[in-house]
Amino acid sequence: MEELLVNYLKTELIMKNLFGIIPPATTAFDRDGRLDEDSVVQQLQWLKAKGSHGVAVGGSTGEGHTLSRDEFKILLKLARESLGTDFPLVAGIIVNSTDEAIERGKIARDEGADVLQVTPVHYLFKPDDKAMVQHFREICDATGMPLLIYNVVPWTYLSPELLCRIMREVPGVMGVKQSAGDLKLMADLLEMSESEDLIFSAVDALLYPSFILKARGAIAAVLAALPGHCVELWDGVQKGDHERALELHSQLLAFWNACDLENLPACVKYAQTLQGLPETYPRRPMPEARPEARVRIQKALQNAGVLN
């Protein structure tokens, strides 16, 4: 009974405090692919100092699919220690079995994460709807953690109808991080969902209209590259300053169009380095940002006014 009460209070706290700009941090690796702990901490503190409302680690921008369990644990420990206990922390889980998702969910719980961000399983074969519902139910039941579905994988992209079904049938599923660049599906999901559902936008190029449509906030790669602009955009929409919000939208769109989207984490890392963070590298076999993308990114950041 005591554990149920604690979980209930934790969920209520997340429902209240999880909103706004939650950058998905990149994961700092050195040239040999090893976790660079000092650079991890420096980036997390930079994101918080820019006014972010929380942070996510281990997602796709963070190359979470490449992390061992031990690295995942270290990353969460560093995040919790460096950000403080009252700063919302989302743990990304990108794996291909229910059992592995549960094991990583337990690690996230034990290291102080507030909520799990879980992709559907996606290697080649797609579970049917009943199995998909059961997948998320088992994760919530086994970990006792609140959960966001990260709807991004093309092979197992979930319809608004199925997402709403899961949120209704699995109490621990609090919401969705809706990705893949389709604002129509974002609008449909927001229309079909209930007011208490936490619907976050990962439609990086269209955060402004996502916020107008009353998304709960955003967890998207562009936030990790230009966190200050994204916070200002969020605040502008909340205050009704649409003239400034449109200016920020144009600058964010220009950055997004500058990136090589097939190698997005490397592009975000390069953008962070240009703004004074340590140089870090994508994990093999992904290459560093290509020279032509670097030129475009530097120009976009100059036009956005974030480079000295």
Side-chain angles (χ1 to χ4, degrees), residues 90-95 97-98 101-102 104-105 115-121 135-136 139-140 143 145-153 158 163 175-177:
V90 178
I93 296 177
I94 307 173
V95 295
S97 74
T98 303
I102 288 170
R104 292 190 181 231
V115 60
L116 308 179
Q117 172 191 286
V118 183
T119 60
V121 297
H135 172 68
F136 289 107
I139 296 169
C140 290
T143 65
M145 290 285 288
L147 185 152
L148 298 174
I149 298 173
Y150 180 15
N151 194 30
V152 65
V153 180
L158 308 188
L163 291 166
V176 176
K177 173 182 169 180

Side-chain angles (χ1 to χ4, degrees), residues 274-291:
L274 288 176
Q275 295 172 78
L277 290 180
E279 185 173 12
T280 61
Y281 306 90
R283 186 161 257 183
R284 298 190 304 275
M286 298 306 295
E288 297 177 41
R290 294 183 297 179

Side-chain angles (χ1 to χ4, degrees), residues 58-191:
S60 51
T61 304
E63 300 170 83
H65 56 289
T66 74
L67 297 173
S68 69
R69 286 188 193 176
D70 286 343
E71 290 170 330
F72 183 60
K73 181 175 182 177
I74 291 168
L75 190 62
L76 287 161
K77 183 179 179 64
L78 291 171
R80 183 45 79 207
E81 290 177 350
S82 62
L83 297 171
T85 58
D86 59 346
F87 195 71
L89 175 60
V90 178
I93 296 177
I94 307 173
V95 295
N96 269 310
S97 74
T98 303
D99 287 344
E100 182 63 20
I102 288 170
E103 290 305 312
R104 292 190 181 231
K106 289 177 178 178
I107 291 170
R109 177 196 63 200
D110 295 344
E111 294 301 327
D114 296 301
V115 60
L116 308 179
Q117 172 191 286
V118 183
T119 60
V121 297
H122 54 274
Y123 175 71
L124 190 59
F125 307 109
K126 178 180 179 179
D128 62 22
D129 288 359
K130 180 180 178 181
M132 196 71 77
V133 174
Q134 184 64 17
H135 172 68
F136 289 107
R137 188 191 310 280
E138 289 186 36
I139 296 169
C140 290
D141 288 349
T143 65
M145 290 285 288
L147 185 152
L148 298 174
I149 298 173
Y150 180 15
N151 194 30
V152 65
V153 180
W155 188 258
T156 51
Y157 200 71
L158 308 188
S159 69
E161 291 83 0
L162 179 55
L163 291 166
C164 289
R165 174 186 169 187
I166 296 172
M167 287 188 285
R168 299 289 73 78
E169 294 186 16
V170 184
V173 177
M174 301 168 56
V176 176
K177 173 182 169 180
Q178 179 75 349
S179 188
D182 191 326
L183 194 64
K184 170 64 164 55
L185 288 174
M186 167 65 74
D188 287 342
L189 178 58
L190 287 165
E191 188 71 21

Side-chain angles (χ1 to χ4, degrees), residues 26-39:
T26 61
T27 301
F29 301 115
D30 65 19
R31 283 193 180 274
D32 295 321
R34 295 174 301 221
L35 197 62
D36 182 343
E37 296 185 18
D38 290 341
S39 295

Side-chain angles (χ1 to χ4, degrees), residues 7-20:
N7 288 341
Y8 173 78
L9 293 174
K10 184 178 181 69
T11 299
E12 288 296 299
L13 187 64
I14 292 300
M15 292 286 286
K16 179 180 179 181
N17 293 331
L18 198 68
F19 69 92

